Amino acid sequence: MKDLSLTSPDITDGERIDDRFAGQDDAETPRMVVTGIPEGTVELVLICHDPDAPLPAGFTHWTLYGIPAVEGEIDVTAARSGPNDDGGVGYVGPFPPAGHGDHRYYFWVYALGAPVDGEPTRSGFLHHSADAVIEQARLTGTYSA
């Protein structure tokens, strides 16, 4: 088995996310790079989630489905954007409440042995596609208002 890895030229693992990738409106979408895709992968899924958000299930900032199982920079135009918890579709940057301290933003990549139907929520994906996950990897950024 290869070692699936997720990196970014825009986010350093464990470090603060730059302001240009943050905010509820007009945030740039950070570039993501995947390597070590395991054999048998039919598609990749990318999810960005803030477990520190003051909500029972945290806050999902990005769901991206149907990513081709190709190593290198993820082409977001070749995938299907799914729902975020801000009521929209696609990437929404970090925007924690002022004074709430540092939040962690987990960017997860999942290598799947079966395709995902449609564009489910994060919880729907985790519930319905858990058996299809071959391997997963995480990149973590932080942000505070």
Side-chain angles (χ1 to χ4, degrees):
M1 184 180 282
K2 293 184 174 185
D3 291 323
L4 186 65
S5 175
L6 182 65
T7 59
S8 173
D10 299 320
I11 298 172
T12 302
D13 193 40
E15 299 294 323
R16 186 177 194 280
I17 296 171
D18 189 273
D19 288 341
R20 74 181 193 262
F21 303 108
Q24 196 168 3
D25 299 309
D26 300 324
E28 289 181 37
T29 303
R31 297 169 292 165
M32 296 287 151
V33 177
V34 64
T35 57
I37 298 171
E39 188 174 324
T41 300
V42 298
E43 79 173 58
L44 302 171
V45 168
L46 182 70
I47 294 177
C48 176
H49 185 254
D50 172 5
D52 302 314
L55 299 166
F59 190 95
T60 299
H61 286 262
W62 195 12
T63 57
L64 193 62
Y65 299 102
I67 302 167
V70 177
E71 295 197 6
E73 187 172 324
I74 293 173
D75 178 2
V76 298
T77 65
R80 301 183 316 275
S81 291
N84 58 52
D85 285 343
D86 198 34
V89 172
Y91 178 75
V92 62
F95 60 100
H100 204 254
D102 281 346
H103 282 221
R104 295 163 296 162
Y105 295 86
Y106 293 150
F107 293 84
W108 289 97
V109 65
Y110 298 89
L112 303 180
V116 174
D117 290 329
E119 296 83 33
T121 63
R122 173 185 164 269
S123 62
F125 162 73
L126 293 173
H127 178 74
H128 293 290
S129 296
D131 291 344
V133 175
I134 298 170
E135 195 173 346
Q136 63 190 34
R138 181 180 77 191
L139 170 69
T140 304
T142 63
Y143 195 81
S144 59

